[in-house]
């Protein structure tokens, strides 16, 4: 037997490894699949398999690359990886050396979520100024969710327990899958026509993909545009969707949404009973106060002794009459005094004195008149010269031939001027 | 929303404000009695609203917009 044609295992393995390492396709492989048998070694290297329905490949990611991961890989996780294929000589297994790994789907969804959140936030869709108040006592509650499943069940049972007098209207909607978002939008718009006090929009828990319709922009805008106050209730407490940010109120769960939407009837009845008690106490207080006031009036001295008022007035009247009488008397006395003073005056007592005085005055005047009588002057030899009945006291305006009259004490001389000379 | 009937919530709000006024006691007797009468009427109406309304039947909106009674399938 010629041994030469037999290869050693090592030789074959090396040959195959050489083939693999020199293949350009195998140096640069993009691969997608689900993680299984995941092991994280203390050195930081990650060992796992990547599989799909029918096949499987071993994978190794060294710590230098593993450190760059933005998530924690776990079994069952769908991932996108990049790496090179080579053969591990010790086992002869081919495997992929991974240098990059991303979460499949979820990673992209996460990015889309963040981008939409930022966009709508910038537009102001989440601003608290747009949040409508949730009415305290709704008479009609709308629910946009699936007609089957835990969410509607929880909501209905919670409302029935707390506030059974409230009417609930379900707007059945798809809540997952591609057609869910437009259906939810449609139902929100429809709900506006049913005179609702509040609208619950949501669904029960599920994977991020299941909840995805509530992260769609059209759903966010429909919630924002809706004129009914909206409570969002998507998934569990930890799940936050875009719908939660834009809704007027976010509930952690569908049950929570029902609790936020309606009051507890028992509490409400108690509250009304309290109001009734306060009301009665309030009015009693007012009536009692007014009654006390009235009593105090009734018991007042004046009301009890009304004649007192009369007495007072009477007394006042008397004092006024007295005052008036006094005033009149004073005035009268004054006048009487004045009259007696006049009566006693000297002139009235001696009226003849006036006559005597006047007579003396007349005699005096006559004597004065006597003194200035011009005729008396004429008797003493003086005369008065007239020209045209005017007395002449100067030679001015006199000329030869003028006619003059000279008045003497006992007659008039008519004469003519023979000449005029200055003295 | 302009309503033909006064909403339950508005009634409670009005009731509370009347009670506060009465408790402050700044009103005349006539005014107080008038307000009290009004408030008692509101209390009665609220009571009636909570007592007399029978349990509401849940409704579902069909594709054509019509309302129909809705019952959950009893599966547990």
């Amino acid at each position: 037997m010629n041994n030469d044609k037999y290869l050693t295992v090592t030789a074959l393995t090396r040959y195959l490894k050489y083939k693999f390492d020199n293949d350009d396709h195998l140096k640069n492989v993009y691969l997608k699949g689900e993680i299984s048998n995941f092991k994280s070694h203390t050195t930081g290297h990650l060992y796992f398999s990547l599989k799909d329905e029918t096949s499987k490949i071993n994978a190794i990611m060294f710590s230098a690359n593993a450190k760059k991961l933005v998530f924690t890989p776990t079994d069952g996780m769908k991932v996108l990886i990049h790496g090179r294929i080579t053969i591990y000589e010790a086992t002869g297994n081919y495997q992929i050396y991974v240098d990059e790994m991303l979460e499949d789907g979820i990673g992209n969804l996460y990015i889309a979520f963040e981008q939409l959140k930022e966009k709508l936030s910038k537009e102001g869709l989440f601003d608290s100024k747009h949040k409508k108040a949730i009415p305290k006592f709704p008479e009609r509650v709308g629910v946009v969710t699936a007609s089957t499943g835990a969410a509607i069940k929880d909501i209905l049972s919670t409302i029935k327990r707390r506030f059974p007098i409230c009417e609930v209207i379900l707007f059945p909607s798809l809540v997952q899958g591609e057609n869910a978002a437009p259906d939810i939008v449609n139902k929100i718009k429809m709900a506006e026509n049913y005179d609702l006090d509040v609208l619950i929009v949501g669904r029960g828990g599920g994977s991020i993909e299941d909840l995805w319709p509530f992260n769609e922009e059209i759903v966010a805008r429909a919630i924002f545009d809706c004129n009914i106050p909206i409570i969002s209730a998507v998934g569990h407490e930890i799940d936050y969707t875009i719908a939660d940010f834009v809704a007027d109120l976010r509930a952690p769960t569908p049950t929570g949404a029902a609790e936020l939407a309606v009051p507890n009837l028992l509490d409400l009845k108690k509250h009304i009973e309290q109001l009734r008690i306060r009301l009665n106490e309030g009015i009693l207080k007012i009536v009692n106060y007014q009654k006390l006031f009235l009593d105090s009036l009734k018991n007042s001295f004046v009301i009890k002794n009304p004649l007192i008022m009369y007495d007072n007035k009477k007394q006042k009247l008397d004092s006024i009459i007295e005052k008036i009488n006094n005033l009149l008397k004073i005035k009268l006395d004054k006048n009487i005094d004045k009259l007696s003073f006049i009566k006693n005056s000297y002139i009235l007592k001696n009226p003849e004195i006036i006559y005597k005085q006047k007579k003396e005055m007349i005699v005096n005047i006559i004597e004065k008149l006597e003194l200035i009588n011009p005729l008396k002057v004429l008797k003493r030899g003086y005369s008065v010269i007239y020209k045209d009945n005017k007395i002449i006291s100067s030679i001015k305006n006199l000329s030869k031939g003028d006619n003059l009259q000279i008045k003497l004490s006992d007659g008039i001389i008519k004469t003519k001027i023979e000449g005029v000379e200055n003295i | 929303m302009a309503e033909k009937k006064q909403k339950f919530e508005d009634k409670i709000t009005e009731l509370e404000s009347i009670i506060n006024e009465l408790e402050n006691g700044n009103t005349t007797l006539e005014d107080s009695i008038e307000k009290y009468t009004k408030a008692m009427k509101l209390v009665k109406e609220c009571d009636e609203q909570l007592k007399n309304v029978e349990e509401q039947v849940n409704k579902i909106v069909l594709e054509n917009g019509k309302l129909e009674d809705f019952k959950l399938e009893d599966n547990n």
Side-chain angles (χ1 to χ4, degrees), chain A residues 1 11 69 75 98 117 159 186 198 204 245 260 345 360 386 423:
Chain A
M1 280 210 10
L69 286 176
D75 281 347
V98 181
K117 189 178 151 197
I159 290 180
N186 195 18
V198 62
F245 291 113
L260 291 171
S345 77
E360 274 172 13
Y386 295 88
I423 303 169

Side-chain angles (χ1 to χ4, degrees), chain A residues 249-266:
Chain A
L249 186 63
R250 182 225 176 217
T253 58
T255 302
E259 282 169 350
L260 291 171
V262 299
N264 191 326
L265 187 60
L266 287 178

Side-chain angles (χ1 to χ4, degrees), chain A residues 179-194:
Chain A
N179 297 323
D183 198 22
I184 293 166
V185 169
N186 195 18
K187 295 297 152 64
I188 290 173
K189 282 183 181 158
M190 214 170 164
E192 289 191 319
N193 302 320
Y194 288 83

